[in-house]
Amino acid sequence: KGCVEGYPVLTKFGLSGVLQSVNPTTGVHNVFVPSCGAICYLQPDQVIRPIKAAVSEDVSTQYGEGKVMKYRLQDDAYEIRLTWGNAMLYAKAATFDRIDDRMEDKGGFGM
């Protein structure tokens, strides 16, 4: 389905999360859902598709940084609360970048 470990996915339950791993024997997908701190063990048909960012993840937009509050499958749009003020941005995936801190957590960037 194009889902890659370490990147966000949408589940058939309406939850978005980050695909942590796929068990090669059973096909079970381990998905971390940051909005509630849960790990879900899902069958392959319960993971719908890859997405740009999961709910509760930090993103960078042309208007500054923000946090994904909601993903809308019906129009493939994201609701992003910007860190300044109380502004809400409604955006398509091409208009923002996911802030991925995996490299810093692992001592990347020469640290």
Side-chain angles (χ1 to χ4, degrees):
K1 294 183 187 180
C3 299
V4 177
E5 291 180 7
Y7 289 89
V9 295
L10 180 66
T11 72
K12 72 182 270 183
F13 306 106
L15 296 171
S16 60
V18 177
L19 180 62
Q20 299 295 303
S21 64
V22 178
N23 183 308
T25 305
T26 63
V28 170
H29 290 52
N30 299 340
V31 177
F32 173 67
V33 180
S35 62
C36 61
I39 295 180
C40 299
Y41 299 92
L42 305 173
Q43 295 299 317
D45 66 336
Q46 295 174 322
V47 176
I48 297 175
R49 61 184 222 114
I51 57 175
K52 181 83 173 250
V55 171
S56 291
E57 286 194 307
D58 294 323
V59 295
S60 177
T61 77
Q62 64 182 346
Y63 304 105
E65 292 185 1
K67 185 175 291 289
V68 176
M69 304 306 290
K70 184 176 183 181
Y71 170 72
R72 301 188 317 227
L73 180 61
Q74 67 271 19
D75 60 355
D76 195 30
Y78 297 78
E79 295 180 17
I80 300 168
R81 175 151 330 268
L82 298 174
T83 55
W84 53 270
N86 196 25
M88 185 70 80
L89 177 65
Y90 300 89
K92 296 289 190 177
T95 64
F96 68 88
D97 292 313
R98 176 178 179 235
I99 298 175
D100 185 359
D101 59 1
R102 287 179 297 152
M103 288 303 290
E104 291 90 340
D105 290 345
K106 295 180 180 175
F109 303 113
M111 296 182 183

